[in-house]
Amino acid sequence: MDVVLALGGGGVKCFAQLGALLAFERAGLRVRAVAATSAGGLVGAGFAAGHDVPSLIDELAAAQLSARFRRARRGEALLDARAAHRVIHTLFGTRTFAELDVPLALTAVDLDSGARHVLHSGAVAPALRAAIAIPGLFPPETLHGRRLIDGGAIDPVPVRAARRLAPGLPVVAVVLTPRPAGNAQHPAAARLDGLPAARLFRRLRLVRAFEVFVRAADISHRALLESRLTLDQPEIIVRPNVAHLDLFGRVDALAVVAEGERAAAAVLRDEARHVAWSSPAAAARRKRATASATGTPAL
């Protein structure tokens, strides 16, 4: 079965998306296009560039071990993004979107106008630097005169961009944020323990105030995500159990991969969902969703 992927962010939780890709391959699903943002952009771009999934797991796991996010000494961000940019350069060099094996769209937001941009032409590396530019943590990427940040700021999982890449195909969204928990308490919002000196300075008033801000922003992000999923209606949603992980902490990459693989395999075992994908009602829903997707500026 042919599908198109929509991948959102989640820092090191993106290893779960690689596990989901393994499960999809084992089940015979053919990924014909990928739309992604934030850390999901690294996974999606790596896959679209033709890296086989086991090799991509090894490459990103090695990058996690070698990367050091240092405090930025100037600019518009808390962290120096050079370590992440080196990983992007190593994986993609000067490769362009036109040279990829699978169509890819990366989403970003213009920091000054608030407009969403779907990046699908030109060099991959600068587009990916924009897609991973978590506002406040990493600096904006200037591209074609625009200061661009992580597209997850307004569209956490780019389902609509995925539909535009491959109209009529079912969209599989791999979401690294847990379902709403009602009155239950969510895991610590954003999990910033992996940031430089985060634990050491936690007792400082400014840091505690920042954590309150991050928690409030996380609540808004979760609500936006659920609203977008309800509106855009991906045919299937895979939600690995990774809410307990830090965004930037060291993780056992293979364990996170295994969780993504488990979650995707569990969903794929649902035969009723498979039937729903191919039903006339599902086809009509995809047609309506594709027709309602509004055009966005492309760079």
Side-chain angles (χ1 to χ4, degrees):
M1 177 180 291
D2 294 342
V3 299
V4 56
L5 288 186
L7 304 176
V12 295
K13 301 174 189 180
C14 71
F15 283 109
Q17 295 172 333
L18 290 162
L21 280 170
L22 288 175
F24 298 156
E25 289 182 351
R26 188 173 297 111
L29 270 64
R30 296 175 295 274
V31 177
R32 296 305 189 192
V34 182
T37 196
S38 199
L42 276 171
V43 172
F47 178 83
H51 295 267
D52 64 86
V53 178
S55 295
L56 195 54
I57 292 169
D58 291 341
E59 290 166 342
L60 292 182
Q64 179 202 202
L65 292 175
S66 63
R68 294 290 187 274
F69 292 115
R70 303 184 184 278
R71 181 173 59 86
R73 299 191 180 276
R74 61 178 64 88
E76 302 170 297
L78 293 175
L79 300 181
D80 187 329
R82 285 179 292 182
H85 291 178
R86 283 194 295 269
V87 172
I88 291 172
H89 178 74
T90 299
L91 287 174
F92 305 103
T94 60
R95 199 161 185 180
T96 67
F97 282 86
E99 295 170 329
L100 298 177
D101 295 353
V102 172
L104 171 71
L106 299 171
T107 63
V109 177
D110 188 321
L111 183 59
D112 298 305
S113 71
R116 187 183 76 139
H117 293 276
V118 179
L119 311 174
H120 54 72
S121 63
V124 173
L128 190 49
R129 290 197 297 266
I132 70 164
I134 302 172
L137 294 183
F138 292 150
E141 175 74 11
T142 300
L143 190 60
H144 302 299
R146 298 180 175 91
R147 295 192 304 157
L148 301 180
I149 60 171
D150 182 346
I154 61 174
D155 191 0
V157 181
V159 173
R160 186 168 297 192
R163 289 201 194 282
R164 291 176 64 85
L165 275 179
L169 289 185
V171 175
V172 179
V174 184
V175 180
L176 302 179
T177 302
R179 290 182 179 85
N183 293 325
Q185 185 174 355
H186 276 302
R191 302 288 304 197
L192 297 177
D193 285 349
L195 294 180
R199 294 185 182 90
L200 179 62
F201 296 111
R202 174 153 286 154
R203 294 183 181 181
L204 295 179
R205 184 172 60 85
L206 183 61
V207 174
R208 294 201 308 271
F210 179 69
E211 284 191 335
V212 171
F213 171 79
V214 168
R215 284 181 176 274
D218 186 70
I219 292 169
S220 297
H221 177 83
R222 291 173 190 270
L224 174 62
L225 169 63
E226 296 307 318
S227 295
R228 290 305 304 249
L229 291 175
T230 300
L231 176 66
D232 295 335
Q233 297 184 35
E235 276 65 37
I236 193 166
I237 299 174
V238 176
R239 273 187 139 128
N241 181 20
V242 291
H244 59 288
L245 298 177
D246 297 345
L247 283 176
F248 298 102
R250 294 293 175 85
V251 297
D252 180 343
L254 294 182
V256 183
V257 167
E259 168 54 26
E261 192 171 5
R262 182 207 63 77
V267 171
L268 294 177
R269 284 195 295 269
D270 183 354
E271 296 183 6
R273 183 64 58 88
H274 282 293
V275 171
W277 281 7
S278 57
S279 70
R285 186 169 63 251
R286 289 195 294 273
K287 184 176 180 180
R288 289 194 301 273
T290 300
S292 68
T294 58
T296 53
L299 297 180

